[in-house]
Amino acid sequence: MKNTNMRMQILAIALTCVLTGCNNPDSTDGKFESNDLSGDVKWPSVDTHRFRDQAVEQRVEALLARMTLEEKVGQVIQADSASVTPEDVTKYNLGSILSGGNSAPGGKPYATASEWVAAADAYFEASLDDSDGGVAIPLIWGIDAVHGHNNVIGGTIFPHNVGLGAMNNPDLVREIMATTARELRVTGHDWTFAPTLAVPRDIRWGRSYEGFGETPEMATKYARPIVEGVQGVFGEEGFLGDSKVIASAKHFVGDGGTENGIDQGDARISERGLRDIHGVPYIDAIDAGVQSVMASFSSWNGQKIHGHRGLLTEILKQKIGFDGFVVGDWNAHGQVEGCTNVSCPQAINAGVDMFMAPDSWRGLYENTLKQVQSGEISQERLDDAVRRILRVKVRAGIMESRKPSGRPMAGDVNLLGAPEHRRVARQAVRESLVLLKNNDNILPLLPSQHLLIVGERADSVSSQSGGWTLTWQGGGMDNSLFPNADTILDGIKTAVEKTGGSIEYSADGTYSKKPDAAIVVFGEKPYAEFQGDVETLLFEDAKALEQLQKFNSNGIPTVSIFTSGRPMWVNPLLNASDAFIAAWWPGSEGGGISDVIFQSADGSVAHDFKGRLSFSWPKQPDQAPLNFGDPEYDPLFAYGYGLSYADNINVPDLPEEMMNVGIRQNKYVYFTKGRTEPPWALVTGQYDASMEINSLGGPTLKAIDKDAQEDAIHITWAGDTYGYIAFAGTTPVNLFREMNGAMELEFEFRVDRMPEEAVMLEARCADGATCSAAVNITNLVKAGPENEWRRARVSLSCFGAADADMTNLIAPFVLSSEGELQLSLSLVHVVEDEDGLENCA
């Protein structure tokens, strides 16, 4: 039974925020320093007692009474599948595993259904091993299925949440999530880390596309149907049944409100603003029976959420009444003051019930066990955490469940990308598209014409699907890895050729026959989490702009399809387009776009544009944050904007002058194609006796040719000083998140003369040698022959483990040696981990 009065209360809060402006004087960022709860702000209460089943509670208590302390501690630890074996699960009685981005079976970032099921069986059976005489508690396996089952070859990939917010269709969202749950059952998973209920208030944030809109309206409207689509409807047959999985509402709370849109940053906002903007979507999710809530990486007014007892225990569990379990995020407990990745009693004491400890789990288990034994974590608190985890496992039928391969739907690859699933995804694409411009009603196009399709992204499922698609960051995957998908080009080709029209595809815009119209596809490169953080909303694609302008000069009408995770400043591209479509990242059904942009055979409109902006479109690149209800709200296209075919509106030429856009600091690329990337500079020097650096002496440099003229540098160490070369900046950068996210330094090099002494790779802190750290890479350098180009990687975590201050790096790459050495470099950058292993040379 739904709590109708409570729902009306929450919707009223959300609607008030939308109508009067969420940035009211009591919730404006930057004005509130306190992270204490006032007691004056009333958080809604959910009657979760109606979820309680006496038989379930009795069984949980009986299990709890039989468990040893070691078994209880194992239940609160979640390890990543890339860092844990089935034998470890048995030995430590682990309660859960996850597969984070790039952590599929076999050391790959993605896998087939059969590979997933085989791994699920191995871990599940290991958790049932009771040969030690203990209580066998089955584990649960969680995964980020955030826009469909995006981790398995052949899965249905839906539009990201930014597109679903523009779609504004709760019933279809329910179907999407039910479809995702079915496909997760195929691979043996029990749990998805979805829905994301963030309300992104500054779309410079790299996770903005995981939100449904800039106000709480859409996330609140979607919370219930998403949870019910994943888990089923509480009180009805099929709740957490064979076709359902456990949902996780995330990231509680305020992740979308951080200053400057910085991932894992600080939301400086009042408690009332925290509730009214960021908290309200969780109420409906909890009322719908969501079984887990993931704590946010971020802080509230300076205090990390993972260590905030007031929010996790007093608000979430006691006031709101959440009776499931709180899971942490990826080593996020290590960011709590006084904690490390392997020791954080503060997080458990604050209300985290299950640590997400991907690669730190073993040390964390051992320290948590000691902390309970010493009383630093009370037995009562541990029992409460384990009770909550067991309650969910019993409710979900995990305790009676057969091994994954023996469950309904397991291994049934015909369900992956099934025709009905693809139909749902295609409808979602159609309804998520936002038409920003349609001058002279150029759309819908006649499919019987000769059309030119332009741009590499037109023929790439990976590019059109965005981040969290087979890999963590997405992009770069061959179309063959998406057997149940259509590219944008595929959809257009089918629509045109079946009516007698013709197309020519050209990645670079050239053509053999003048087209009746050109469709140009361009957009943001896929990204995920902090790698998508930007300083401005400037989007530039010189190639696409040149193509559009060439078509204009040749009298060819132009339709632009912009794929992205957020609105961006694209005025020059808008001006060069007759029609402009914000397609977001539509996923695997590129044909949904062709459904809308073409007329039917009889000349009628087949499908109209239904999408409306749930994020405001900026008028300038530096116009962030920009939210409906701001005191000086002045977007280019407002919240709720979107044209339909009935509209007869021409968008005038827009200003192309950019205001206040400086040089963006590139944290990830230091040297490529023979040049350093701004603001980095290549410097040389030598160490003094105290290992401080100076700019005197050092190796000599010479530009050389590798693949093009002077696209690499040759470096010579004479052996007379302890010399170094470094890529250094004037302002320190923070690579702590990148270290925690398992990213690596990759460099392409050639050894021209083998080293006589040790070769060291250092991460240099702005405060000098005391907070810097170096890794010995001599064996790595010597591992290959001379005069042969090769690539090597060193994990950022290696520097952190050696006590480098990764939050304050002035030179992330310092290469040094005390002996003679000749070495050439062509590329130095930070990249996503590809094998799930720590590489410390």
Side-chain angles (χ1 to χ4, degrees), residues 137-185:
I137 306 293
L139 61 68
I140 49 176
W141 192 344
I143 198 164
D144 287 281
V146 295
H147 65 136
H149 194 354
N150 43 263
N151 304 280
V152 62
I153 294 173
T156 307
I157 309 299
F158 294 96
H160 271 294
N161 288 353
V162 60
L164 301 187
M167 182 181 74
N168 193 6
N169 186 336
D171 291 335
L172 188 55
V173 163
R174 185 189 302 272
E175 283 192 74
I176 288 168
M177 300 313 296
T179 299
T180 301
R182 285 192 292 272
E183 295 200 3
L184 282 165
R185 280 300 192 181

Side-chain angles (χ1 to χ4, degrees), residues 53 55-56 58-60 63 66 124 127-128 136-140 185 190 239-242 390-404 406-408:
D53 181 289
V56 169
Q58 289 175 351
R59 185 172 185 186
V60 168
L63 288 168
R66 293 170 51 205
F124 186 83
S127 69
L128 294 181
I137 306 293
L139 61 68
I140 49 176
R185 280 300 192 181
D190 312 289
F239 178 68
L240 290 172
D242 290 341
L390 294 178
R391 179 182 292 140
V392 172
K393 289 185 176 184
V394 174
R395 283 175 175 170
I398 301 296
M399 302 301 296
E400 287 78 35
S401 185
R402 291 170 283 176
K403 66 179 182 179
R407 301 172 189 170

Side-chain angles (χ1 to χ4, degrees), residues 127-421:
S127 69
L128 294 181
D129 187 333
D130 58 359
S131 59
D132 61 356
V135 182
I137 306 293
L139 61 68
I140 49 176
W141 192 344
I143 198 164
D144 287 281
V146 295
H147 65 136
H149 194 354
N150 43 263
N151 304 280
V152 62
I153 294 173
T156 307
I157 309 299
F158 294 96
H160 271 294
N161 288 353
V162 60
L164 301 187
M167 182 181 74
N168 193 6
N169 186 336
D171 291 335
L172 188 55
V173 163
R174 185 189 302 272
E175 283 192 74
I176 288 168
M177 300 313 296
T179 299
T180 301
R182 285 192 292 272
E183 295 200 3
L184 282 165
R185 280 300 192 181
V186 173
T187 55
H189 289 93
D190 312 289
W191 179 15
T192 176
F193 302 139
T196 299
L197 297 179
V199 181
R201 302 293 286 170
D202 188 329
I203 58 173
R204 292 176 294 179
W205 185 34
R207 303 191 75 159
S208 292
Y209 65 83
E210 296 185 52
F212 297 106
E214 68 194 35
T215 77
E217 175 191 23
M218 205 57 64
T220 303
K221 184 183 291 188
Y222 278 173
R224 178 178 297 277
I226 290 176
V227 171
E228 292 180 346
V230 173
Q231 296 186 166
V233 179
F234 172 76
E236 295 183 6
E237 186 177 354
F239 178 68
L240 290 172
D242 290 341
S243 65
K244 301 299 181 181
V245 297
I246 297 164
S248 189
K250 66 181 187 183
H251 308 84
F252 189 86
V253 59
D255 53 342
T258 61
E259 276 194 305
N260 301 316
I262 295 173
D263 189 45
Q264 304 176 21
D266 189 12
R268 309 204 65 82
I269 191 171
S270 70
E271 184 185 350
R272 188 176 304 279
L274 189 70
R275 181 199 68 180
D276 292 355
I277 299 174
H278 304 284
V280 291
Y282 289 91
I283 309 303
D284 253 16
I286 292 168
D287 191 57
V290 72
Q291 294 296 291
S292 68
V293 169
M294 185 179 292
S296 178
F297 252 117
S298 59
S299 304
W300 177 47
N301 291 331
Q303 183 175 351
K304 284 292 179 181
I305 301 296
H306 274 65
H308 203 300
R309 187 179 187 280
L311 289 174
L312 295 181
T313 297
E314 295 175 21
I315 295 297
L316 179 61
K317 294 178 177 179
Q318 295 174 358
K319 290 189 177 182
I320 298 176
F322 175 62
D323 75 344
F325 69 87
V326 175
V327 63
D329 207 339
W330 186 278
N331 277 336
H333 56 272
Q335 295 186 17
V336 174
E337 186 175 357
C339 290
T340 67
N341 286 355
V342 297
S343 179
C344 194
Q346 294 94 319
I348 286 283
N349 289 335
V352 172
D353 300 307
M354 181 184 285
F355 286 110
M356 186 183 287
D359 52 358
S360 59
W361 64 268
R362 195 187 312 267
L364 187 63
Y365 171 92
E366 293 168 350
N367 285 319
T368 302
L369 180 62
K370 292 175 183 176
Q371 288 152 1
V372 178
Q373 290 169 334
S374 71
E376 193 171 1
I377 299 172
S378 70
Q379 183 69 56
E380 291 76 15
R381 173 66 194 106
L382 177 65
D383 283 352
D384 174 60
V386 177
R387 180 180 293 110
R388 289 169 174 274
I389 294 166
L390 294 178
R391 179 182 292 140
V392 172
K393 289 185 176 184
V394 174
R395 283 175 175 170
I398 301 296
M399 302 301 296
E400 287 78 35
S401 185
R402 291 170 283 176
K403 66 179 182 179
S405 62
R407 301 172 189 170
M409 304 184 195
D412 186 356
V413 295
N414 292 324
L415 284 175
L416 298 177
E420 177 60 19
H421 295 184

Side-chain angles (χ1 to χ4, degrees), residues 376-668:
E376 193 171 1
I377 299 172
S378 70
Q379 183 69 56
E380 291 76 15
R381 173 66 194 106
L382 177 65
D383 283 352
D384 174 60
V386 177
R387 180 180 293 110
R388 289 169 174 274
I389 294 166
L390 294 178
R391 179 182 292 140
V392 172
K393 289 185 176 184
V394 174
R395 283 175 175 170
I398 301 296
M399 302 301 296
E400 287 78 35
S401 185
R402 291 170 283 176
K403 66 179 182 179
S405 62
R407 301 172 189 170
M409 304 184 195
D412 186 356
V413 295
N414 292 324
L415 284 175
L416 298 177
E420 177 60 19
H421 295 184
R422 296 188 64 178
R423 180 199 65 77
V424 174
R426 188 160 179 153
Q427 181 182 349
V429 174
R430 287 198 300 266
E431 296 189 15
S432 66
L433 304 174
V434 179
L435 182 61
L436 299 182
K437 179 180 180 180
N438 191 26
N439 282 15
D440 298 324
N441 298 108
I442 181 178
L443 293 176
L445 295 170
L446 284 168
S448 56
Q449 298 180 104
H450 175 64
L451 302 174
L452 177 67
I453 318 303
V454 180
E456 294 178 356
R457 283 177 170 75
D459 194 29
S460 171
V461 178
S462 188
S463 291
Q464 75 191 34
S465 297
W468 291 109
T469 307
L470 292 189
T471 65
W472 177 35
Q473 294 298 313
M477 299 288 106
D478 191 82
N479 286 342
S480 63
L481 293 171
F482 302 90
N484 301 316
D486 284 330
T487 65
I488 296 171
L489 175 63
D490 291 333
I492 293 172
K493 183 177 180 181
T494 299
V496 170
E497 292 184 349
K498 74 179 182 181
T499 58
S502 60
I503 71 162
E504 181 176 356
Y505 171 61
S506 170
D508 63 5
T510 59
Y511 53 86
S512 57
K513 176 184 176 182
K514 185 177 180 180
D516 295 307
I519 301 172
V520 185
V521 184
F522 52 89
E524 285 192 288
K525 178 183 176 182
Y527 52 80
E529 300 191 29
F530 50 81
Q531 291 200 46
D533 286 1
V534 293
E535 294 183 12
T536 76
L537 299 176
L538 172 64
F539 176 84
E540 293 180 294
D541 188 330
K543 182 185 294 185
L545 182 59
E546 180 183 356
Q547 292 164 346
L548 288 165
Q549 291 172 338
K550 180 186 74 173
F551 299 143
N552 290 338
S553 64
N554 290 333
I556 300 170
T558 54
V559 177
S560 288
I561 299 173
F562 182 52
T563 59
S564 72
R566 56 193 152 202
M568 301 289 284
W569 188 81
V570 290
N571 283 15
L573 292 155
L574 271 162
N575 285 342
S577 307
D578 293 302
F580 195 99
I581 300 165
W584 316 112
W585 279 324
S588 56
E589 291 303 313
I593 295 175
S594 60
D595 288 346
V596 181
I597 65 174
F598 290 112
Q599 298 177 18
S600 296
D602 61 3
S604 64
V605 172
H607 295 279
D608 205 345
F609 283 91
K610 293 184 177 181
R612 300 294 182 264
L613 292 179
S614 59
F615 290 94
S616 303
W617 203 280
K619 185 174 285 187
Q620 277 291 330
D622 66 338
Q623 198 177 14
L626 173 66
N627 296 298
F628 180 73
D630 286 350
E632 297 180 3
Y633 182 66
D634 185 27
L636 180 62
F637 300 117
Y639 181 89
Y641 174 88
L643 299 175
S644 298
Y645 283 136
D647 295 317
N648 187 20
I649 297 173
N650 278 358
V651 175
D653 282 347
L654 304 169
E656 298 187 10
E657 298 78 18
M658 292 182 289
M659 307 291 289
N660 304 317
V661 179
I663 296 176
R664 182 191 306 177
Q665 184 158 15
N666 192 327
K667 295 171 63 175
Y668 300 133

